[in-house]
Amino acid sequence: MPVCKDDIYNKIVKIKRKGLSIMEKQKILIVDDSEMNRALLADILEEQYDVVEADNGIEAISILSRQRTDFSLLLLDIMMPGMDGFEVLAYINKYHWNDTFAVIMISADDSPLNIKRSYDLGAFDYISRPFDSTIVQRRISNTMLLYARQQRLEKIIAEQFHEQEKNNKLMITILSHIVEFRNGESGLHILHVNTITKYLLNQLVQLTDQYPLSKADISLISTASALHDIGKISISDAILNKPGRLTPEEFEVIKTHSMVGANMLLDLSIEQQEAPLVKVASEICRWHHERYDGSGYPDGLKGEEIPIAAQVVALADVYDALISERCYKKAYSHEEALKMILEGRCGAFNPTLLLCLQEIADTLESELMDVSTERETKNIQDIRNKIDYDRLFSYEKYTFLSRKQRDLQLLYIDSLTSVYNRRYYDEHFQGADGIQAMVVIDVDNFKHINDNYGHDVGDIVLQNIAQTVSSCVRKTDAVIRYGGDEFLIIFFSIPADIFEQKLERIRHSVDRLIIDDHPELHMSVSIGGAYGIGTIKKLFKAADNMMYLSKKAKNQVTVCFLDENEDITDNN
């Protein structure tokens, strides 16, 4: 029987397509405790996709923790023993694993409540049993297509954002050069204020939900900060660059720059005035010399009457003015500047922002030094020579001091967790003054972890928790491993209104921890805090009592606020 050429062609095309599909197969993970359900889905999908199976939620989490970027889609059953589909989905959503793959829920129960909960937890779609092969294939292919388009759109948006960031940096650089030629401030001031503003805002959104700022908002405010002193263009050189103290009359002239800057922006065309950058910059220009207690200028605004953008730039402006040399003063050290601001010698600032400043202090010190170094291009050979001589001169002294300090620190550092140890607490804090608050932290179910996973895993848990707690507090605070699975935190200065927020942040951070080899292991802590006036013994006792109250429910924070006459009784 003769062979039709069209039949041969069609067979070749079919073979080529089949080979191509094998090479480009996307990987799908099917999670279902029913072997029959997994087999049905695999039979429907295995020709088009590379199928991997898991028979429970814990196994699925374990697979995804190792190779989640390999998968394009997760088919997830709801009703499973041990860890059901909603718990798996919540875990995936919590750690943003679904940034790289889509999730479709599968279940025989297609009630509106189940479907709504699935979407609320981040599912992309919902397929009901019994399975129809055509519907399953179509729903999955549509999900893959939509998800790929979403990823491409997000990539385009990210590229546009980065391009805008480049333009913003160019504008800031140009403005810094203008400032250099116009007044006695270094051109670095613009760059420094931009950097400080960015770090303060990033810390602020981590610390509190009071100011719901997006990444775009933070970028906008940081960029707009470059215009904060643009009104100084109206001030005469004689006043602006005067080397000595200003007279009261001259200071009144200087104060006009805030209104002048705002009015310059408000004099733009209506269309330009409506631009978000101009709106924010206008607020910053006008109000970056206002103070939280109402003592600033030009309008005497108080507290949250001052826009948060102006509040942050005000603090950034003052900090950099203190650490920078001016024609009328020498630069203060980083430590001196912090002390002056925290003591209120530069005016009153938002207590939450002051806490943010303390928490990013070390980062700012190194970051601003790097910015300054990049701009310092004059006499580079002299600088190199000086550094070489300094290194030769001080190397032995530096090495000796480092060894001495290292040996001293070893006495007070816990060898397992690298935080302070009980000896440090006993020798440094008995009878100590100036302590604002104390916190006692106990690891929940730690005996269960040791008994079921072994002491090596228990040690890893303690190390991770200690590191997490340390990352949530400032360098000026002390984290201490008091004994076993119990930690202390000692705060020397923290505003009362954010004390509990700080402890909740610690609890939440520990709650999100993942141990690499044991992703199914959940860690939590019970936290007790005592804030207020009292001896170290009184604060410890109160915090310990609060911890035991938290431990009754586990994964909780309980705090109390003391006064001088309050009597602390044992509640445990």
Side-chain angles (χ1 to χ4, degrees):
M1 183 176 179
V3 179
C4 176
K5 289 184 179 180
D6 287 344
D7 289 342
I8 294 173
Y9 175 78
N10 289 335
K11 285 181 180 179
I12 292 172
V13 169
K14 188 174 181 180
I15 290 169
K16 284 184 176 180
R17 284 178 177 170
K18 187 174 181 181
L20 186 61
S21 67
I22 291 173
M23 290 175 61
E24 298 181 350
K25 276 185 176 181
Q26 293 172 291
K27 187 175 286 189
I28 292 177
L29 176 61
I30 301 173
V31 187
D32 197 316
D33 61 319
S34 167
E35 186 176 358
M36 181 181 293
N37 289 339
R38 297 199 308 274
L40 286 170
L41 286 169
D43 187 56
I44 294 170
L45 300 172
E46 61 186 1
E47 186 174 341
Q48 291 179 274
Y49 304 100
D50 184 5
V51 175
V52 177
E53 298 180 25
D55 61 10
N56 60 70
I58 292 175
E59 184 185 359
I61 293 295
S62 180
I63 291 171
L64 292 172
S65 69
R66 297 191 304 271
Q67 55 189 89
R68 58 183 171 274
T69 56
D70 295 346
F71 294 98
S72 300
L73 184 75
L74 174 64
L75 290 174
L76 180 60
D77 185 31
I78 292 179
M79 301 302 294
M80 293 185 293
M83 191 177 191
D84 68 27
F86 288 134
E87 290 176 303
V88 174
L89 185 57
Y91 192 97
I92 289 169
N93 190 43
K94 181 178 182 180
Y95 297 108
H96 305 288
W97 288 1
N98 50 356
D99 288 347
T100 57
F101 58 80
V103 180
I104 295 178
M105 303 301 285
I106 51 178
S107 177
D109 181 0
D110 59 353
S111 65
L113 187 64
N114 269 359
I115 295 174
K116 181 181 183 302
R117 189 177 178 192
S118 297
Y119 286 131
D120 288 344
L121 288 172
F124 213 87
D125 204 350
Y126 193 102
I127 298 177
S128 301
R129 288 200 299 264
F131 301 123
D132 180 287
S133 61
T134 303
I135 291 175
V136 169
Q137 288 174 340
R138 181 59 60 88
R139 297 282 279 276
I140 287 176
S141 63
N142 286 346
T143 295
M144 294 281 204
L145 180 62
L146 288 171
Y147 190 77
R149 285 177 177 173
Q150 177 181 307
Q151 295 295 93
R152 283 197 297 272
L153 181 60
E154 289 177 356
K155 184 178 179 182
I156 290 170
I157 292 171
E159 289 173 352
Q160 291 175 342
F161 178 79
H162 289 309
E163 185 63 29
Q164 184 64 42
E165 283 285 280
K166 285 170 59 180
N167 292 335
N168 291 345
K169 288 179 180 178
L170 177 60
M171 187 197 82
I172 291 168
T173 302
I174 293 170
L175 281 170
S176 71
H177 282 292
I178 293 172
V179 172
E180 259 181 328
F181 284 104
R182 180 65 185 88
N183 65 40
E185 294 177 352
S186 163
L188 284 172
H189 180 63
I190 299 289
L191 302 177
H192 284 180
V193 169
N194 172 265
T195 300
I196 300 165
T197 297
K198 178 179 64 178
Y199 278 110
L200 281 172
L201 288 169
N202 282 322
Q203 187 64 31
L204 181 65
V205 296
Q206 291 182 41
L207 190 64
T208 177
D209 296 328
Q210 184 179 353
Y211 309 98
L213 300 170
S214 65
K215 288 184 178 180
D217 293 329
I218 291 172
S219 176
L220 182 69
I221 295 170
S222 301
T223 303
S225 72
L227 297 166
H228 72 283
D229 272 345
I230 197 170
K232 285 186 176 178
I233 198 169
S234 67
I235 309 298
S236 70
D237 289 344
I239 295 177
L240 204 57
N241 297 323
K242 183 178 178 179
R245 182 179 292 274
L246 296 175
T247 66
E249 293 76 19
E250 289 169 335
F251 184 60
E252 288 301 316
V253 173
I254 284 284
K255 286 166 65 175
T256 63
H257 81 277
S258 57
M259 284 296 296
V260 169
N263 289 334
M264 286 172 64
L265 297 173
L266 293 175
D267 285 341
L268 295 171
S269 68
I270 297 295
E271 182 181 347
Q272 291 170 326
Q273 286 181 36
E274 293 301 312
L277 179 66
V278 174
K279 286 184 176 181
V280 174
S282 177
E283 291 179 352
I284 290 171
C285 283
R286 179 163 182 158
W287 292 311
H288 72 281
H289 282 289
E290 300 288 357
R291 292 296 177 260
Y292 208 67
D293 60 356
S295 63
Y297 65 86
D299 300 311
L301 299 186
K302 186 176 182 180
E304 296 306 320
E305 293 174 352
I306 311 167
I308 190 60
Q311 290 189 50
V312 174
V313 174
L315 183 55
D317 186 32
V318 166
Y319 171 77
D320 186 63
L322 289 172
I323 65 169
S324 303
E325 187 171 346
R326 295 284 189 265
C327 59
Y328 53 85
K329 75 169 190 67
K330 293 184 177 180
Y332 292 99
S333 70
H334 167 74
E335 292 77 14
E336 288 173 319
L338 280 179
K339 186 178 181 183
M340 292 171 70
I341 292 171
L342 294 174
E343 289 178 351
R345 285 189 269 163
C346 306
F349 294 95
N350 186 330
T352 305
L353 288 181
L354 291 179
L355 183 59
C356 291
L357 179 64
Q358 289 175 279
E359 294 191 340
I360 64 171
D362 289 349
T363 302
L364 286 184
E365 186 176 20
S366 60
E367 185 77 14
L368 297 188
M369 186 179 295
D370 291 341
V371 172
S372 301
T373 302
E374 288 175 9
R375 289 290 308 276
E376 184 58 70
T377 58
K378 298 175 183 178
N379 301 320
I380 191 67
Q381 191 59 51
D382 290 342
I383 292 173
R384 283 177 179 167
N385 292 339
K386 182 179 184 302
I387 291 173
D388 289 339
Y389 282 118
D390 284 347
R391 284 176 179 168
L392 288 171
F393 178 74
S394 64
Y395 178 76
E396 290 186 10
K397 180 181 177 182
Y398 170 77
T399 305
F400 170 74
L401 288 176
S402 296
R403 287 172 183 163
K404 183 177 179 181
Q405 289 171 342
R406 186 163 59 248
D407 291 342
L408 183 62
Q409 287 177 351
L410 286 175
L411 293 173
Y412 300 119
I413 299 298
D414 179 63
S415 59
L416 175 66
T417 62
S418 298
V419 299
Y420 289 120
N421 57 23
R422 175 67 178 273
R423 178 175 182 172
Y424 180 77
Y425 173 76
D426 290 339
E427 293 186 12
H428 286 76
F429 291 104
Q430 299 306 317
D433 295 324
I435 294 174
Q436 187 85 57
M438 178 171 280
V439 177
V440 178
I441 300 175
D442 188 83
V443 181
D444 295 330
N445 305 314
F446 187 67
K447 185 177 185 301
H448 172 80
I449 294 172
N450 271 337
D451 291 347
N452 289 273
Y453 292 89
H455 289 280
D456 287 345
V457 174
D459 287 348
I460 294 171
V461 167
L462 291 178
Q463 289 167 347
N464 275 265
I465 289 176
Q467 183 179 1
T468 300
V469 173
S470 297
S471 70
C472 293
V473 301
R474 304 159 299 180
K475 298 294 184 183
T476 52
D477 305 321
V479 179
I480 300 160
R481 186 185 178 198
Y482 191 69
D485 61 339
E486 202 165 72
F487 296 86
L488 305 180
I489 308 175
I490 295 175
F491 292 100
F492 287 92
S493 177
I494 183 171
D497 57 345
I498 65 165
F499 177 55
E500 190 167 1
Q501 295 176 27
K502 168 69 73 173
L503 303 192
E504 283 290 355
R505 180 184 168 201
I506 292 170
R507 183 195 65 77
H508 182 67
S509 298
V510 172
D511 189 50
R512 295 181 60 182
L513 272 174
I514 301 176
I515 301 296
D516 289 339
D517 295 330
H518 298 279
E520 77 286 357
L521 185 59
H522 176 249
M523 287 163 285
S524 67
V525 288
S526 296
I527 303 177
Y531 184 100
I533 302 168
T535 64
I536 189 77
K537 184 177 180 180
K538 183 177 179 180
L539 283 168
F540 176 83
K541 188 173 183 180
D544 197 45
N545 287 342
M546 296 303 104
M547 184 274 290
Y548 275 101
L549 290 176
S550 292
K551 202 161 181 65
K552 289 178 181 179
K554 293 186 170 55
N555 199 15
Q556 297 289 322
V557 170
T558 309
V559 301
C560 65
F561 294 85
L562 311 180
D563 59 43
E564 287 182 304
N565 301 316
E566 188 168 356
D567 181 38
I568 301 300
T569 56
D570 233 342
N571 292 325
N572 55 326

